[in-house]
Amino acid sequence: MRTLANQSAPEPRQLAAATSRDHDLVRFVGRRGGVAIEHVMAALGIGRTMAYRRVAACVERGLLERLDLVRAEPTLLRATRAGLRYAGLGLALAQVSPGSVNHWLTCASTAQRLGDEADPELVVSARELLLAERIEGRPIASAKVGEHPDGSARLHRPDLAILAGERPIAVEVELTPKSPDRLLGLIRAWRRARWVAEVHYYCAPGLTRRAVERAVRKARAEERVRILEARR
């Protein structure tokens, strides 16, 4: 005779499927840093109800956390340190503040669009790039902007990078204007970074885009830098 507990217990195959889905979910969130539920739905190919259910399960297990930092913005999902270990990523905890929520969400949307055009596994975040460059001991898709006191290169890492082809493509998400001197210095550094095939600047329209366009012209980096529109 089957007991009520046995009747409600999931089958081993159901448990394995749930564990696999949770691993994919936590790995996706951990790689991107901060995402919204819509990004989860698109990345995993699931509906809203299932996405909320899987996220809730991972939050309960301490693998993900919800961050409600800005009232007008969606809830941000972030992998916890336990979640990063569970997904085997070896990444640091994503640093999120109220002022960075829009940037995290725009980066996630940009990465998703890039992943639709190429292999999503080849679209990496700045945190993934940092880890890879530390392992390699050289810049992979970053620009050299100076030197540290010990003589090692001081690097500027892009928000995203596409590690496809012989040389990667660096991707910057520019939502607010930088100071003209700093922006010009970065564009010149990208022009010198010949280990990078090109740089794509996804810019907010208006002042931010015009500032990047001026810096690119002044640095004579038109052949190295493509300017596109940032979209959430």
Side-chain angles (χ1 to χ4, degrees), residues 124-185:
V124 303
S125 65
R127 291 157 56 253
E128 292 176 287
L129 183 59
L130 170 61
L131 178 61
E133 290 182 334
R134 283 179 174 172
I135 293 172
E136 291 288 327
R138 63 179 178 87
I140 296 173
S142 297
K144 293 181 181 179
V145 293
E147 289 187 352
H148 291 293
D150 64 359
S152 61
R154 186 162 56 90
L155 301 178
H156 168 78
R157 291 183 178 85
D159 295 300
L160 301 164
I162 307 170
L163 305 182
E166 294 184 2
R167 293 181 296 164
I169 296 173
V171 178
E172 297 274 32
V173 176
E174 200 83 358
L175 302 181
T176 55
K178 288 185 173 68
S179 71
D181 288 345
R182 183 185 175 201
L183 183 58
L184 179 59

Side-chain angles (χ1 to χ4, degrees), residues 90-118:
L91 300 174
L93 186 70
Q95 299 302 308
V96 181
S97 65
S100 68
V101 170
N102 183 40
H103 190 264
W104 279 110
L105 293 173
T106 306
C107 284
S109 296
T110 303
Q112 211 142 52
R113 288 196 296 274
L114 295 173
D116 290 339
E117 301 168 4

Side-chain angles (χ1 to χ4, degrees), residues 139-144 156 158 166-172 184 186-202 212-213 215-228:
I140 296 173
S142 297
K144 293 181 181 179
H156 168 78
E166 294 184 2
R167 293 181 296 164
I169 296 173
V171 178
E172 297 274 32
L184 179 59
L186 287 175
I187 297 294
R188 284 172 171 163
W190 283 125
R191 189 188 63 188
R192 296 190 298 266
R194 293 297 172 180
W195 50 91
V196 173
E198 57 185 5
V199 185
H200 294 179
Y201 263 86
Y202 285 82
V212 173
E213 289 172 341
V216 169
R217 287 195 301 270
K218 193 167 184 179
R220 298 179 181 177
E222 291 90 345
E223 293 184 0
R224 298 276 295 149
V225 178
R226 289 182 59 195
I227 302 175
L228 305 107

Side-chain angles (χ1 to χ4, degrees), residues 45-120:
I46 58 178
R48 186 174 295 273
T49 299
M50 178 58 73
Y52 275 114
R53 189 177 300 163
R54 298 272 33 103
V55 166
C58 290
V59 169
E60 186 174 354
R61 293 172 62 190
L63 303 175
L64 296 179
E65 58 185 337
R66 300 185 184 95
L67 303 176
D68 291 302
L69 300 176
V70 181
R71 181 176 298 177
E73 294 284 10
T75 297
L76 204 70
L77 302 173
R78 177 175 68 175
T80 63
R81 288 185 174 86
L84 293 167
R85 289 193 298 271
Y86 167 76
L89 291 173
L91 300 174
L93 186 70
Q95 299 302 308
V96 181
S97 65
S100 68
V101 170
N102 183 40
H103 190 264
W104 279 110
L105 293 173
T106 306
C107 284
S109 296
T110 303
Q112 211 142 52
R113 288 196 296 274
L114 295 173
D116 290 339
E117 301 168 4
D119 184 347

Side-chain angles (χ1 to χ4, degrees), residues 13-23 54 61 86:
R13 282 182 297 179
Q14 292 175 318
L15 284 172
T19 302
S20 175
R21 287 196 299 268
D22 290 349
H23 184 274
R54 298 272 33 103
R61 293 172 62 190
Y86 167 76

